[in-house]
Amino acid sequence: MTRTITPRLRTLVLLLLAVAGALLAGAGPASAHAALTGSDPAQGVVVDKAPTQVSLTFSEKVAMNDDSLQVLDPKGKKAQVGSPANVSGTTYAVQLKSGLAKGTYTVAYQVVSADSHPVSGAFTFSIGAPSQTVVSGVGTAANDTAVGWLYAFGRYVSYAGFIVLAGGAAFVLACWQRGSGVRALQRLVVGGWLALTAATLWLLLLRGAYTSSGKFGDVFDLDLLGQVLQTKTGAALVSRLLLLAAAALFIAVLFGAYNRREEAEEKRDLTFGLAIGGVVVAAGLAASWAMAEHASTGLQPGIAMPVDVLHLLAVAAWLGGLTALLVALYRAPADTPVETAAVHRFSRLAFGSVLALVATGTYQSWRQLGSWSAFTETRYGQLLLVKIGLVALLVGIAWISRRWTGRLADVTNTVTAARKARQSGKEGAEEHEKVRVSASKATAGKDSEKNTGKGAVPGDGKRAAQLARQRAAVDTARQKRLRDADANRFGLRRSVLAEAGVAVVLLAVTTWLTQTEPGRTELEAKAATSSSSSSASSSSGTLTLDMPFDTGGTDGKGLVRVDLDPARVGGNEMHVYVQRPNGRAFDIPEVKVAFTLTAKKIGPLPVTPDHITTGHWSASSVQIPMAGDWKIAVTVRTSDIDQVTVSKNAQIG
């Protein structure tokens, strides 16, 4: 069987890779998980006069409240008037107070993207000239707070609960129907339902604080909870709770009436009904994720959401069924072992699930990345590579499990024979007990006068019951030894346990991945930010940096000012001014400037300006090769031995 399937699988994988390559090569623009793509004023610029408003442009529409966009002056006080508003498309603006003083202003934003994730950040711009500012710690992402970590944990538990609930039930119905009477499997499926229900309530409670302040104290704010219920994510969580009520009824029937059915025809009809109902409920639960997260926004949402539902169902069937199989192999009673036929059926179910995962995962990867470079240049792509590696490892271990399954010795006949022998022993013991009781009654009748007022011989009934229990325990232990003596079954248990261990890590990476900005959006946001920053810099004029210095020698204190015009990629004109502490210009022996882009390991690029007049140096055609956060270092020498280098960072391009 393995030799037949393996070439087909190899051909299918190669075909899917070829399709993925074509899709990635011809990918069009899309977005999900909103990112800031531009602002006016742009980040790091110096404007000559105060603007009347600050506007932000995102890669997609976002949800805002009154405090989502704040502009703070150099002293940390609010500089805006009123609430932010949507001015056009994906651009949002807030009006500024009139008569704003010169200095550096901080813009902080905290919004919620269309795929339910909070997006936050901050940047600065200056009016007239840069200045010191007391603002710090603004624009902190909610993911980095305690609430963010608790929310991520809740997401992990909800995914795990769904997988165990849906996959465990599917294993019982499709692979091992006798398992509906196994207590360990019942506890597993019910545990999955409890975990998913508790995690959903937990996420609903945390949601308000997670998307706003990130403070744990706001978790119990009923006003925030009311706002959450009016959002798409709130509706999805409430829908999930309603579907879990239906799932509870499904579980009750599966482990109650279904387990008690004896007639084959009645059980077959109930199996069909449970299968239809279970698929509907499981698909609805999976849709509660698809309708509120990455699949619901961006490119082809009408296709992406059904694909996402299918992906989640395939994950549940594979990993949830794997967990159920592990429990059955380790915890099933000795007189009800999981049969070889059930393991074979699960093997086929898992193989089909893997094929579905490859197909849906390929589409999702193309949709969220958009290019091959995004695999290595974005956090989402790097995490996706880790996930692909774990899936490959899981498939490798599953292949080993399939080999153990092929060699698995079926101990069902042995167990059945032992059960019949035990039943026969029970019947013989019962017949013997009946004869003994009849004889006792006859004897008691003859000696009734002698035995008047005296009880029957004590302890005979208790002794017989004790012996029966001992025989049953011995039979059970013998059956367990016979089951565990099978080396192939022991090997299967170990390989399935290894699969489950990898699956736990895989689920953690998947949870992290769902909270990460897609690679396609990250790259497009970087490109848009670079373009808008370049055009904004050219229109806003000169970038000005003031840096105090002290060389330590005589007349060694002062201020050096660097003007870069137009502060964009390409050629720029640079002017350097040196002033005494009292503001008067003065000459020094030497001034040198160097530009370094640390993030890209570019530089330092040295520039030696020409002396123009007292306290003034200039250089033309200063080339900035790419946009980024550049470190501008100025070396000032006030004597033959007194020298110092001062620096500041600024966004150029």
Side-chain angles (χ1 to χ4, degrees):
M1 182 175 182
T2 304
R3 292 179 180 177
T4 304
I5 291 176
T6 302
R8 295 178 181 176
L9 176 59
R10 187 185 302 115
T11 303
L12 180 60
V13 170
L14 291 175
L15 178 61
L16 288 172
L17 288 175
V19 173
L23 291 173
L24 287 168
S31 63
H33 205 106
L36 183 67
T37 58
S39 64
D40 185 18
Q43 178 178 348
V45 303
V46 179
V47 295
D48 295 330
K49 61 180 182 179
T52 59
Q53 68 175 21
V54 170
S55 64
L56 303 181
T57 301
F58 295 91
S59 58
E60 64 181 39
K61 286 191 173 183
V62 298
M64 282 193 170
N65 56 40
D66 292 345
D67 297 324
S68 291
L69 179 54
Q70 298 186 54
V71 182
L72 306 176
D73 66 15
K75 295 181 180 179
K77 297 181 180 180
K78 288 188 177 182
Q80 80 264 25
V81 178
S83 303
N86 182 214
V87 293
S88 66
T90 58
T91 300
Y92 302 80
V94 64
Q95 299 298 314
L96 298 181
K97 296 178 180 178
S98 59
L100 294 179
K102 293 183 178 180
T104 298
Y105 288 74
T106 302
V107 180
Y109 58 92
Q110 172 81 48
V111 300
V112 180
S113 64
D115 61 357
S116 81
H117 296 284
V119 179
S120 60
F123 64 90
T124 61
F125 70 93
S126 300
I127 300 175
S131 68
Q132 296 293 327
T133 177
V134 298
V135 178
S136 63
V138 297
T140 303
N143 292 338
D144 299 331
T145 64
V147 171
W149 286 103
L150 290 172
Y151 194 85
F153 176 73
R155 289 171 62 86
Y156 179 87
V157 174
S158 66
Y159 279 124
F162 171 73
I163 287 172
V164 170
L165 169 62
F171 177 81
V172 171
L173 275 177
C175 304
W176 192 36
Q177 294 178 3
R178 286 183 61 200
S180 61
V182 174
R183 181 75 64 178
L185 276 181
Q186 293 175 358
R187 290 197 187 102
L188 176 72
V189 176
V190 172
W193 183 90
L194 290 173
L196 180 54
T197 303
T200 302
L201 291 170
W202 180 243
L203 293 174
L204 196 60
L205 192 63
L206 286 173
R207 181 69 187 174
Y210 174 65
T211 56
S212 57
S213 64
K215 298 177 181 178
F216 190 79
D218 291 338
V219 169
F220 304 101
D221 189 332
L222 295 181
D223 290 336
L224 282 178
L225 180 59
Q227 295 173 17
V228 168
L229 294 176
Q230 299 175 25
T231 64
K232 182 170 63 174
T233 302
L237 292 173
V238 171
S239 299
R240 191 180 303 167
L241 289 174
L242 295 175
L243 286 165
L244 282 168
L249 178 61
F250 170 86
I251 293 172
V253 175
L254 177 63
F255 297 133
Y258 182 77
N259 181 44
R260 293 191 296 267
R261 285 288 189 275
E262 297 294 339
E263 295 184 10
E265 186 174 352
E266 289 185 2
K267 195 155 190 172
R268 185 168 54 252
D269 293 340
L270 189 54
T271 300
F272 179 77
L274 283 174
I276 297 298
V279 169
V280 171
V281 173
L285 290 171
S288 68
W289 277 282
M291 67 181 287
E293 297 191 352
H294 287 163
S296 63
T297 62
L299 183 68
Q300 301 175 345
I303 299 175
M305 285 193 285
V307 168
D308 198 46
V309 170
L310 181 59
H311 189 82
L312 285 171
L313 292 177
V315 171
W318 183 19
L319 301 186
L322 183 70
T323 306
L325 176 60
L326 183 67
V327 170
L329 288 171
Y330 277 90
R331 300 297 301 276
D335 59 349
T336 315
V338 58
E339 299 94 347
T340 303
V343 179
H344 278 293
R345 283 192 288 269
F346 173 71
S347 181
R348 291 191 292 270
L349 176 65
F351 180 75
S353 299
V354 170
L355 293 182
L357 284 174
V358 171
T360 56
T362 300
Y363 172 78
Q364 289 177 330
S365 299
W366 161 72
R367 186 174 179 271
Q368 301 294 357
L369 290 179
S371 65
W372 293 109
S373 61
F375 272 109
T376 56
E377 294 180 5
T378 65
R379 173 66 63 86
Y380 189 94
Q382 293 163 1
L383 285 173
L384 187 58
L385 287 176
V386 174
K387 180 180 178 180
I388 292 173
L390 289 171
V391 171
L393 177 61
L394 200 57
V395 170
I397 301 175
W399 178 76
I400 296 175
S401 297
R402 286 178 65 84
R403 296 194 63 182
W404 284 118
T405 300
R407 297 200 296 258
L408 186 63
D410 193 355
V411 299
T412 304
N413 294 333
T414 304
V415 172
T416 302
R419 189 186 302 113
K420 288 181 178 179
R422 185 182 67 181
Q423 186 65 28
S424 176
K426 282 184 178 179
E427 292 175 354
E430 289 174 356
E431 185 65 27
H432 174 75
E433 182 66 14
K434 289 179 180 179
V435 172
R436 187 192 67 77
V437 170
S438 298
S440 297
K441 287 181 177 179
T443 304
K446 292 178 181 180
D447 302 330
S448 58
E449 293 181 359
K450 295 181 180 180
N451 293 331
T452 302
K454 297 181 181 180
V457 178
D460 285 352
K462 292 183 178 179
R463 178 60 178 168
Q466 184 180 10
L467 289 174
R469 287 196 298 270
Q470 289 177 349
R471 283 194 295 271
V474 171
D475 290 342
T476 300
R478 184 184 300 111
Q479 294 168 27
K480 188 174 186 300
R481 285 196 301 271
L482 286 173
R483 183 190 68 183
D484 295 342
D486 185 0
N488 295 322
R489 182 174 290 266
F490 178 73
L492 177 63
R493 288 167 64 175
R494 286 190 305 174
S495 63
V496 171
L497 181 61
E499 283 186 78
V502 177
V504 170
V505 180
L506 176 62
L507 184 59
V509 174
T510 301
T511 303
W512 191 3
L513 196 64
T514 60
Q515 298 189 164
T516 304
E517 181 181 32
R520 181 193 291 269
T521 305
E522 183 178 340
L523 291 180
E524 290 175 356
K526 287 180 179 179
T529 301
S530 175
S531 175
S532 62
S533 297
S534 176
S535 61
S537 296
S538 64
S539 62
S540 60
T542 305
L543 170 65
T544 302
L545 299 175
D546 287 343
M547 292 172 273
F549 66 86
D550 184 0
T551 62
T554 303
D555 208 14
K557 293 184 178 181
L559 177 75
V560 59
R561 171 174 293 174
V562 178
D563 289 344
L564 195 66
D565 187 14
R568 64 181 178 184
V569 176
N572 292 264
E573 185 174 350
M574 184 182 70
H575 294 271
V576 180
Y577 302 92
V578 179
Q579 301 173 354
R580 298 182 189 275
N582 60 10
R584 299 189 63 179
F586 77 111
D587 284 336
I588 56 176
E590 186 178 28
V591 174
K592 294 187 294 185
V593 183
F595 295 82
T596 304
L597 184 58
T598 306
K600 297 294 184 179
K601 298 181 180 180
I602 298 176
L605 306 178
V607 178
T608 303
D610 298 324
H611 185 260
I612 304 300
T613 185
T614 302
H616 181 198
W617 287 258
S618 176
S620 59
S621 299
V622 177
Q623 295 294 322
I624 302 298
M626 68 170 54
D629 187 22
W630 286 83
K631 175 184 177 183
I632 303 175
V634 182
T635 301
V636 177
R637 184 166 63 85
T638 57
S639 71
D640 291 340
I641 59 173
D642 298 319
Q643 178 176 299
V644 70
T645 299
V646 292
S647 65
K648 270 192 176 182
N649 280 46
Q651 181 71 29
I652 302 177

